Amino acid sequence: MELPDYSFELAARALGFRAVAGVDEVGRGPLCGPVVAAAVILDPARIPEGLNDSKKLSHKRRMALEAAIKADAVWCVAEASVAEIDQINIVQASHLAMCRALAGLARKADHVLVDGNLLPKALAIPAQAIVRGDARSVTIAAASILAKEARDRMMVDLAQQYPGYGWERNAGYPTKDHLQALLDLGPTPVHRRSFRPVHNILCQDISLSR
């Protein structure tokens, strides 16, 4: 299996940048809960082995890597709320969470590697968008691991507050059991009203109440 490497970071360092951060987000697709982003600056001398796209790793492996990243890197996890997602749309909310994560770093980044093909408009420092960045850059991979573990824990907590939707298993994604629960139980306060399946049920409820 081909693993991400440090080549993008080395290219940035060759240009004189010394605090190269990677950022990634988790949670664009779910019907509920916040979108979560992480920013990481790795120590080139202490890069954890086995970093990869969080989706390709087991929960156990992610947990081990999460601990290693937090021990040896500069990092921050941030989020954009359901209300913000509904107000400004999921893409802009994802970028907002990314900017918050970068702003929260204990060491200010001077260059940013961003997963995807779009850069947040609010970024005020040099940045590079990298498609499939979590599978190509170890720094972005590290950010993807922190973001996923943080969001998964949030959804387990929310599942206890709002039982019946299976969020501890599906993390809020539109799985068959989640969609059925949405029909049976209706939307919760943490469902994203701007997302079509939730919006359609709300519209149906309004029609039936008239």
Side-chain angles (χ1 to χ4, degrees), residues 145-157:
I145 290 166
L146 295 193
K148 178 164 177 55
E149 284 301 299
R151 190 178 190 281
D152 283 357
R153 282 192 292 270
M154 290 179 190
M155 295 311 299
V156 170
D157 289 342

Side-chain angles (χ1 to χ4, degrees), residues 7 9 31 42 81 93 159 174 184:
S7 58
E9 293 83 349
L31 303 179
L42 291 174
S81 68
D184 294 341

Side-chain angles (χ1 to χ4, degrees), residues 93-105:
S94 298
H95 288 175
L96 177 61
M98 288 180 176
C99 290
R100 286 173 174 166
L102 286 165
L105 290 171

Side-chain angles (χ1 to χ4, degrees), residues 32-34 150-173 175 177-178 181 185 188-191:
C32 57
R151 190 178 190 281
D152 283 357
R153 282 192 292 270
M154 290 179 190
M155 295 311 299
V156 170
D157 289 342
L158 286 173
Q160 296 176 9
Q161 297 178 47
Y162 303 101
Y165 298 88
W167 296 341
E168 69 280 6
R169 301 184 304 276
N170 59 47
Y173 284 87
T175 58
D177 62 331
H178 186 186
L185 304 174
T188 70
V190 295
H191 273 100

Side-chain angles (χ1 to χ4, degrees), residues 80-118:
S81 68
V82 171
E84 289 170 324
I85 292 168
D86 286 340
Q87 182 177 6
I88 62 176
N89 78 47
I90 186 60
V91 173
Q92 297 306 316
S94 298
H95 288 175
L96 177 61
M98 288 180 176
C99 290
R100 286 173 174 166
L102 286 165
L105 290 171
R107 179 185 180 189
K108 186 176 180 180
D110 59 9
H111 188 79
V112 185
L113 305 175
V114 180
D115 183 54
N117 61 356
L118 295 173

Side-chain angles (χ1 to χ4, degrees), residues 180-199:
Q180 187 60 52
L182 196 56
L183 288 170
D184 294 341
L185 304 174
T188 70
V190 295
H191 273 100
R192 301 171 181 177
R193 267 62 181 158
S194 57
F195 277 44
R196 187 173 297 278
V198 182
H199 176 76

